[in-house]
């Protein structure tokens, strides 16, 4: 929004996408980033081994346990948690840079990470969305189809999925991912709507004052 030489700018938003494994949050996050240059993907750090095709620094920052714990001690994570036996965390510096540069950062995190981000000092920048599968059977089929994990890991993920689903009430929005394109559209609509909220327009008071002064000048 521009009036004369005045530009009404915003800080970047922190968009949390959470779901049980296989419900589609990662695919949605990737699609958002591909479609809109203002969206950036938050690259987490992890101690798990990389999967075939994954690149260090693109999918994850792959760290040893010692490296990860050292960064925890140095306060370099916005949030961190242990999930399925591995450590995961969000590097803090890229988050601060995205907010200050007006870029919207997309987080693909579990409910533990989402809770820590919402409870952090950056909570006012957060938009949280929980993605549900259309059914437990569909969730299992998606996990098996992507063929990224062993059958034991899939079984473990399925066993923990109901516990993850029970955290849906902690989120601002909840979407059932029955159709990927429809879900993607709904997520984009939520972000657009939230960005237009008065409380997210950090320079709105200054802009209103500008309009008021212009009005006074016209009357004088």
């Amino acid at each position: 929004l521009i009036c004369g030489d005045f530009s009404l700018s915003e800080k970047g938003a922190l968009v949390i996408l959470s779901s049980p494994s296989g419900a589609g949050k990662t695919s949605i996050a990737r699609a958002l980033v591909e479609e809109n240059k203002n969206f950036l993907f938050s690259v987490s750090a992890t101690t798990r081994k990389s999967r075939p095709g994954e690149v260090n620094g693109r999918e994850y920052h792959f760290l040893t346990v010692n490296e990860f714990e050292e960064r925890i001690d140095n306060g370099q994570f916005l949030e961190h948690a242990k999930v399925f036996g591995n450590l995961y965390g969000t590097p803090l510096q890229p988050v601060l840079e995205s907010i200050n540069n007006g870029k919207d950062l997309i987080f693909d995190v579990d409910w533990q990470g989402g809770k820590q981000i919402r409870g952090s000092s950056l909570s006012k920048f957060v938009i949280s969305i929980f993605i549900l599968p259309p059914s437990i059977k569909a969730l299992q089929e998606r996990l098996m189809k992507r063929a990224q994990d062993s059958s034991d890991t899939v079984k473990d993920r399925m066993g923990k999925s109901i516990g993850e689903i029970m955290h849906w009430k902690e989120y601002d929005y909840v979407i059932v991912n029955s159709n990927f394109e429809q879900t993607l559209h709904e997520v984009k609509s939520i972000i657009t709507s939230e960005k237009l909220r008065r409380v997210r327009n950090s320079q709105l008071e200054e802009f209103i004052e500008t309009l008021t002064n212009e009005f006074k000048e016209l009357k004088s």
Side-chain angles (χ1 to χ4, degrees), residues 13-194:
L14 307 181
V15 182
I16 299 172
L17 297 178
S18 296
S19 74
S21 296
K25 66 180 183 299
T26 301
S27 297
I28 292 167
R30 295 296 183 191
L32 289 171
V33 173
E34 289 175 3
E35 291 186 12
N36 191 322
K37 292 181 179 180
N38 200 61
F39 290 145
L40 301 177
F41 186 75
S42 176
V43 181
S44 298
T46 183
T47 58
R48 79 158 171 79
K49 300 297 183 182
S50 61
R51 295 168 178 157
E54 291 184 329
V55 177
N56 186 37
R58 186 180 68 186
E59 281 78 17
Y60 286 96
H61 299 291
F62 295 101
L63 305 175
T64 66
V65 173
N66 287 339
E67 288 172 335
F68 198 103
E69 292 178 342
E70 183 178 348
R71 296 190 187 193
I72 292 175
D73 293 339
N74 292 334
Q76 292 179 259
F77 287 120
L78 174 62
E79 57 82 24
H80 60 86
K82 192 170 188 178
V83 183
F84 298 113
N86 295 301
L87 293 168
Y88 291 82
T90 300
L92 176 59
Q93 190 58 36
V95 175
L96 297 175
E97 291 175 358
S98 294
I99 290 174
N100 291 328
N101 292 332
K103 299 292 185 180
D104 299 326
L105 199 58
I106 310 298
F107 291 83
D108 169 7
V109 295
D110 75 329
W111 69 268
Q112 297 177 76
K115 183 176 182 179
Q116 289 188 52
I117 296 171
R118 292 194 306 274
S120 74
S121 60
L122 303 178
S123 60
K124 66 180 180 180
F125 300 107
V126 169
I127 303 169
S128 63
I129 305 171
F130 198 87
I131 309 295
L132 290 171
S135 68
I136 297 302
K137 182 180 179 181
L139 184 66
Q140 185 177 33
E141 289 175 349
R142 290 174 183 177
L143 284 172
M144 296 297 292
K145 185 177 181 180
R146 72 184 190 181
Q148 293 181 336
D149 302 305
S150 66
S151 57
D152 287 341
T153 300
V154 170
K155 185 177 180 180
D156 188 30
R157 291 182 186 277
M158 286 300 301
K160 294 180 178 179
S161 63
I162 190 63
E164 296 172 330
I165 288 172
M166 296 311 294
H167 290 275
W168 67 274
K169 288 185 178 180
E170 300 170 12
Y171 287 72
D172 299 323
Y173 300 90
V174 180
I175 300 174
V176 177
N177 185 19
S178 300
N179 178 277
F180 179 80
E181 292 301 327
Q182 177 63 26
T183 299
L184 181 60
H185 172 74
E186 290 173 352
V187 169
K188 289 190 289 187
S189 296
I190 288 169
I191 297 172
T192 298
S193 177
E194 282 285 331

